[in-house]
């Protein structure tokens, strides 16, 4: 049994005329007859009842017909899926992002990508910074979203948003008397954002953090002092990839966010 035989069978079940089916496929009636006979032999079924006056679909043929149509439908879907994949319109893309990032920017990006590429499956997960970098370098992630860092200098990037660093401290404290307990750019003192904010609430010191934490539930307890140090949130990607879908996603991100950042 092959796809052509199923196509001939489905068409013949509609026309009930070997001559018409042969014309529909631009082959001889003898060829159609032979292919139907081969299909019947493979299935060990009589698909058509033939007389000198007419051709009738047998009971076995009626039973087999919906399955034949479904097979052809699935084959056509698979061809379309492959075409979409080659066009970069479908596939799987694995995105990683740093835990302590501005979630609204991330949500906006994911919404845009899903709307633009409905057939692409986006798998995304938050990681600590070093884990995120290691996975990306090991090509286990297609792209990552994090703030610029000395380890990202060799990666291609698109800036999603320019953030700034601030010195945050408890409202009841004087910044000049507090020790630095956390610097978001300092690898040696990495900790979870929530832990840092709780320490600020306990008046243990001050922290240098991104300006987006003003939306955090703890922010009402803090004062801040601007540092005017830029810390862009970026979409990082590698150029030496063979993922068709990723190529289109990268192009879209570059066009969308470079244009937005020029406004």
């Amino acid at each position: 049994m092959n796809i052509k035989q199923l196509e001939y069978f489905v068409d013949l079940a509609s026309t009930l005329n070997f001559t018409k089916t042969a014309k529909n496929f631009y082959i001889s009636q003898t060829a159609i007859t032979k292919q139907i006979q081969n299909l019947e032999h493979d299935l060990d079924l009589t698909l058509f009842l033939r007389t000198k006056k007419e051709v009738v679909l047998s009971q076995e043929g009626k039973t087999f017909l919906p399955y034949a149509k479904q097979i052809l439908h699935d084959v056509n879907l698979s061809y379309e899926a492959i075409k979409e994949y080659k066009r970069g319109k479908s596939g799987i893309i694995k995105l990683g992002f740093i835990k302590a990032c501005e979630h609204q920017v991330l949500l906006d990006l994911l919404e845009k990508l899903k709307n633009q590429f409905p057939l692409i499956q986006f798998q995304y997960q938050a990681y600590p910074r070093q884990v995120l970098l290691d996975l990306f370098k090991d090509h286990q992630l297609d792209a990552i979203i994090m703030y610029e860092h000395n380890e990202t200098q060799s990666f291609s990037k698109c800036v999603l948003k320019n953030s700034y660093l601030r010195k945050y401290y408890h409202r009841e404290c004087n910044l000049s008397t507090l020790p630095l307990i956390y610097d978001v750019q300092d690898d040696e003192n990495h900790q979870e954002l929530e832990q840092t904010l709780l320490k600020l609430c306990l008046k243990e010191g001050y922290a240098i953090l991104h300006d987006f934490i003003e939306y955090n539930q703890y922010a009402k307890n803090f004062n801040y002092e601007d540092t005017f140090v830029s810390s862009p949130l970026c979409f990082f990607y590698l150029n030496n990839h063979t993922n068709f879908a990723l190529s289109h996603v990268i192009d879209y991100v570059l066009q969308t966010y470079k244009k937005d950042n020029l406004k």
Side-chain angles (χ1 to χ4, degrees):
M1 181 172 61
N2 57 52
I3 299 302
K4 278 298 181 184
Q5 289 173 345
L6 292 178
E7 290 176 346
Y8 300 153
F9 165 67
V10 170
D11 190 86
L12 184 57
S14 175
T15 66
L16 296 177
N17 187 299
F18 280 87
T19 301
K20 288 182 179 179
T21 292
K23 288 181 178 179
N24 289 340
F25 290 95
Y26 301 99
I27 60 176
S28 68
Q29 180 179 332
T30 302
I32 288 290
T33 301
K34 182 65 175 178
Q35 290 298 321
I36 294 298
Q37 289 175 343
N38 289 340
L39 179 61
E40 290 178 322
H41 177 76
D42 289 343
L43 296 172
D44 194 23
L45 295 174
T46 299
L47 299 174
F48 296 95
L49 301 176
R50 307 164 179 81
T51 68
K52 291 182 178 179
K53 294 184 178 180
E54 62 180 356
V55 175
V56 179
L57 194 62
S58 69
Q59 189 58 48
E60 291 90 346
K62 292 177 182 179
T63 301
F64 180 63
L65 182 59
Y67 295 100
K69 288 181 176 180
Q70 186 62 50
I71 291 171
L72 293 176
H73 175 71
D74 291 343
V75 168
N76 288 332
L77 282 181
S78 69
Y79 286 146
E80 288 302 315
I82 293 300
K83 287 179 182 177
E84 291 299 310
Y85 173 75
K86 289 182 176 180
R87 295 188 191 113
K89 301 299 183 181
S90 68
I92 298 175
I93 293 180
K94 296 181 180 180
L95 297 175
F97 58 94
I98 195 168
K99 285 185 175 180
C101 79
E102 188 171 351
H103 289 159
Q104 190 56 53
V105 176
L106 177 66
L107 292 174
D108 289 345
L109 171 62
L110 291 174
E111 182 179 6
K112 288 177 179 178
L113 291 177
K114 289 178 180 179
N115 289 336
Q116 183 70 20
F117 305 100
L119 299 180
I120 292 179
Q121 180 184 349
F122 292 96
Q123 299 177 352
Y124 43 91
Q125 185 174 339
Y127 299 94
R129 180 169 55 197
Q130 196 55 53
V131 175
L132 182 66
L133 287 167
D134 291 342
L135 290 173
F136 187 51
K137 291 175 182 177
D138 197 35
H139 298 277
Q140 295 185 49
L141 294 172
D142 296 310
I144 60 174
I145 299 166
M146 63 175 288
Y147 295 95
E148 281 190 338
H149 185 264
N150 55 7
E151 290 192 52
T152 65
Q153 293 179 5
S154 63
F155 305 149
S156 298
K157 70 181 180 185
C158 175
V159 176
L160 302 179
K161 182 179 180 181
N162 276 305
S163 296
Y164 289 87
L165 299 184
R166 290 172 173 170
K167 296 179 181 179
Y168 285 91
Y169 57 99
H170 197 277
R171 289 185 183 275
E172 298 177 4
C173 298
N174 188 324
L175 179 61
S176 62
T177 63
L178 294 173
L180 175 63
I181 59 174
Y182 178 64
D183 184 343
V184 74
Q185 297 190 118
D186 184 2
D187 280 333
E188 302 303 319
N189 190 28
H190 181 71
Q191 58 184 281
E192 295 291 339
L193 177 61
E194 293 298 311
Q195 292 177 339
T196 300
L197 297 180
L198 286 172
K199 288 183 178 181
L200 294 181
C201 287
L202 294 172
K203 307 176 185 178
E204 295 185 16
Y206 76 93
I208 299 176
L209 300 166
H210 292 101
D211 56 10
F212 75 85
I213 74 147
E214 65 186 53
Y215 305 113
N216 189 279
Q217 59 178 329
Y218 298 112
K220 62 182 181 293
N221 300 314
F222 307 144
N223 283 333
Y224 66 82
E225 180 179 299
D226 287 318
T227 67
F228 303 103
V229 176
S230 176
S231 180
L233 181 63
C234 300
F235 177 92
F236 292 101
Y237 59 94
L238 298 174
N239 286 313
N240 57 338
H241 57 78
T242 57
N243 187 327
F244 295 110
L246 181 59
S247 298
H248 285 266
V249 167
I250 290 171
D251 289 343
Y252 174 76
V253 172
L254 290 173
Q255 293 172 10
T256 302
Y257 284 88
K258 282 190 174 180
K259 179 177 63 177
D260 288 349
N261 288 327
L262 289 175
K263 294 178 180 179

